[in-house]
Amino acid sequence: MIRILQQDNRYTKIIFAVIIGFAVVTMVITLVPGIFDNATTGDSTVFATVREPGILGRVSESTPIKAAEVNQLASRQLQQQHLPDFLLPYMSQRAGQILVQRAILKHEADRMNLQVSDEDLRRELQTGPFSQYLFPNGTYIGDDAYMNFVQNAFQTTRGDFESQVKSDMELNRLQALITGGVSVSDNAVRQAYMVDGTKVKFDYAVISSDDLRKTINPSDAELQGFFKTNATRYAAAIPETRKIEYVAFDASNLPGGKPQISDADVQAYYNAHQDQYQVKDQVKVRHILIAVPAGSDAKTDAAAKAKAADILKQIKGGGDFADLAKKNSDDPGSKDQGGELGWLDRGKTVPEFDKAAFTLPTGQTSDLIKTQFGYHILQVEDKKTAHLRPVAEVKPEIVPVLEQQRVGAAEQTFASTLASDAKKNGLDKAAAAKGLHAVTTDYVGKDGVIPGLADASGLLTQAFTVVKGADPASVSTGDGFAVFQVQDVKAAHAPDFADYKSHILEDYREQQLPGLLSAQLNKLDDRAKVLNDLKKAAAEMNVPLKSSDLVGKDGQVPDLGAMSGPGSVAFSLAKGAISGPINVGRAGVVLSVTDKQEPTAEDMAKNFNATREKLLGEQREEIFRVYIGDLTQKYEKGGAVRYSKKPAAPGASPFGN
């Protein structure tokens, strides 16, 4: 509800893209492999250190890459790319690579005297991407607002922020120096745009893997032969299972019943945890926001101020605050609640808003308050002065905590006693002596389910780490404990052919499919070329024929995918020409161009400069990538990169890139 007062997501995202470090350099860095091959150091808080190579580097100052920085960057990349958490170790290697190579580039830029002065920094902040926030309409926002901006946007200090901007500027200078001589000819620009600007329409015949799969129907003899040939593959196809005997119980089974909590227990806990019951100064407010977008001109600001002033006049004239908030407020998180923000702690909103909220008496309405978001009108509904909540008030919160602690301890003690008795007398007798009942499962897998247990995962995990007949052990089950013992183990083994036939058939089909797809695709292509008619060839082979729209290289076509991929061959064909076989993975395609529209001279002229810039960017990126690769090799051979712990090579991406 008060998010708009705490953080501006839009400008944070824009600035974050800049501050992470000049995008082209970072992208190039991630594509240069093989930097993790040097000696290691022993400091676990430092991921790596980088210094200049050679003899002089041994006495020069080194740059530490903190492990915390690597982990922080890896986590951000994981979130931005919406990847699962288990890929964090891989992302950490990539993040480490980025930061190490960035440090290498910084050393090289310093060696070339490309350092950025304070005056250079001032000019960049006043005219670069941050100017709209720090110098709106050309006017400096002031030191306090500057520091507030840096803290809110980056959770860092002004000094660290400026140091980061300087570093980015320096590395940009290095990139510009290395790639400044890149050029592309006019002819290359025209050829590139001729490809990029061409559009094609085509018929295409699609051989589907799913359709072919249905035609693969081997005999039992062929399947048995496949099964025998791949005996190693199926040697452990049936996973290990175990028969487990267990006794489960919860708090209701504890000797003497559920532990009771006395007032003395509550008082003792309260005395030891009073910091948890300290109430800070709080204020309950509602507000109306008339937004002024960042970078707005004076006219826009004046219009917003006038609108806010008119609303304030209505409120002071007896107008209903909540109704006016619903009709006028630009805060989407509170307007539908009549501007209600609820209870706010001191210091949780922007300074101007915070000061007014905690200064105004209860029941009063403020004058117009200007913040970085626009103009606010706020009304104080109630206040709480900092105080310690009395024990009588917090007792309902303390009792469940103590009950959980006491019950957990009692259950663990009971479980240990039960396990000890079971070791001497067996689970059946130990359970019966406590009024409980032992249960024996069927053979169950490691990821199986045990009926009657709220959470059997811990029991199964532990049961699959001990040997058959090991001493009884206890484990939490979510709503209590269980004591268990492994009665028998069936090792992983090969299945019987008859029982596993359906799986073997699917494996057989999967193995045969690529060859069959290739053969059918070549047959279709050959027949289309002989007949000089894709439509007739497709009809003969009973293959569906489809037609595309008029598409460019940035288009998508069903079954074929992005036209920048395998289907791009269509742009190199003349009208009426038939392509060769196009394998797109789970399907095969042969296409015939039915229409082709090349860019006109007017289109060429209109897009000439943009195409040139695109080619220049690609050339610069490639040159800088080679430069970083050579520079990295130089630092490696010079022993200038050292790691606290030698990481795994980052090239082994689970996505194959």
Side-chain angles (χ1 to χ4, degrees), residues 218-432:
S219 65
D220 280 1
E222 288 173 315
L223 278 183
Q224 286 177 336
F226 176 80
F227 184 54
K228 291 178 181 178
T229 301
N230 293 276
T232 303
R233 173 179 181 175
Y234 295 109
I238 305 300
E240 177 184 318
T241 56
R242 297 191 169 204
K243 181 179 287 188
I244 304 166
E245 185 180 13
Y246 71 93
V247 177
F249 64 90
D250 58 27
S252 65
N253 305 116
L254 291 173
K258 185 177 179 181
Q260 298 301 305
I261 307 301
S262 68
D263 288 345
D265 295 331
V266 172
Q267 185 67 51
Y269 184 90
Y270 176 79
N271 293 342
H273 300 84
Q274 287 192 5
D275 58 318
Q276 297 179 13
Y277 306 112
Q278 292 285 349
V279 176
K280 300 178 181 178
D281 283 338
Q282 289 184 315
V283 62
K284 187 179 183 184
V285 300
R286 61 173 74 234
H287 85 134
I288 297 171
L289 168 66
I290 305 303
V292 179
S296 296
D297 56 24
K299 183 177 179 181
T300 301
D301 186 279
K305 184 176 182 181
K307 180 179 179 181
D310 180 64
I311 295 170
L312 179 60
K313 183 178 179 181
Q314 294 180 55
I315 294 171
K316 291 189 174 181
D320 184 87
F321 193 105
D323 185 54
L324 288 168
K326 291 177 181 178
K327 293 178 180 177
N328 298 283
S329 183
D330 292 324
D331 178 5
S334 69
K335 67 176 296 181
D336 292 340
Q337 290 76 42
E340 182 66 60
L341 294 175
W343 288 99
L344 305 178
D345 290 340
R346 189 183 291 275
K348 292 298 184 181
T349 61
V350 290
E352 304 90 343
F353 193 99
D354 188 78
K355 181 179 179 181
F358 282 91
T359 301
L360 276 173
T362 301
Q364 294 295 307
T365 300
S366 72
D367 291 327
L368 297 187
I369 302 166
K370 178 67 185 298
T371 74
Q372 66 197 65
F373 304 106
Y375 291 92
H376 304 259
I377 304 167
L378 69 87
Q379 189 175 82
V380 175
E381 299 178 284
D382 199 0
K383 288 188 174 184
K384 292 180 181 178
T385 304
H387 66 279
L388 177 65
R389 296 170 67 193
V391 66
E393 179 184 328
V394 298
K395 180 179 178 180
E397 300 172 24
I398 295 176
V399 169
V401 174
L402 290 176
E403 285 180 341
Q404 184 178 19
Q405 292 177 352
R406 299 283 178 84
V407 167
E411 287 179 341
Q412 284 186 323
T413 300
F414 185 50
S416 297
T417 300
L418 186 59
S420 178
D421 290 348
K423 180 179 179 181
K424 298 174 184 176
N425 306 312
L427 268 176
D428 280 332
K429 289 183 178 180

Side-chain angles (χ1 to χ4, degrees), residues 48-110:
T49 57
V50 177
R51 58 173 176 77
E52 290 187 28
I55 296 176
L56 291 178
R58 298 184 185 276
V59 296
S60 65
E61 184 178 355
S62 62
T63 301
I65 310 298
K66 299 290 186 181
E69 295 174 347
V70 174
N71 294 334
Q72 189 177 46
L73 178 56
S75 296
R76 283 199 294 259
Q77 290 179 330
L78 205 69
Q79 293 172 358
Q80 290 169 347
Q81 298 177 39
H82 306 291
L83 298 176
D85 290 342
F86 73 82
L87 289 178
L88 183 60
Y90 165 73
M91 295 303 292
S92 294
Q93 299 310 316
R94 292 190 61 187
Q97 184 180 19
I98 291 172
L99 295 178
V100 166
Q101 291 195 315
R102 184 181 174 93
I104 290 173
L105 291 172
K106 179 69 167 59
H107 274 273
E108 200 65 12
D110 289 345

Side-chain angles (χ1 to χ4, degrees), residues 531-580:
L531 297 173
N532 196 30
D533 190 325
L534 178 61
K535 185 175 182 179
K536 287 183 179 179
E540 282 186 8
M541 293 181 60
N542 196 28
V543 173
L545 187 73
K546 304 180 181 182
S547 296
S548 77
D549 296 326
L550 194 64
V551 292
K553 260 203 166 181
D554 58 349
Q556 294 267 348
V557 175
D559 298 304
L560 195 54
M563 289 303 294
S564 58
S568 62
V569 66
F571 298 102
S572 64
L573 299 175
K575 183 177 178 180
I578 299 172
S579 74

Side-chain angles (χ1 to χ4, degrees), residues 588-609:
V589 171
V590 176
L591 62 83
S592 176
V593 177
T594 58
D595 192 12
K596 188 171 187 178
Q597 294 183 6
E598 295 181 336
T600 64
E602 183 180 354
D603 291 334
M604 180 73 74
K606 182 179 178 181
N607 293 280
F608 191 86
N609 289 335

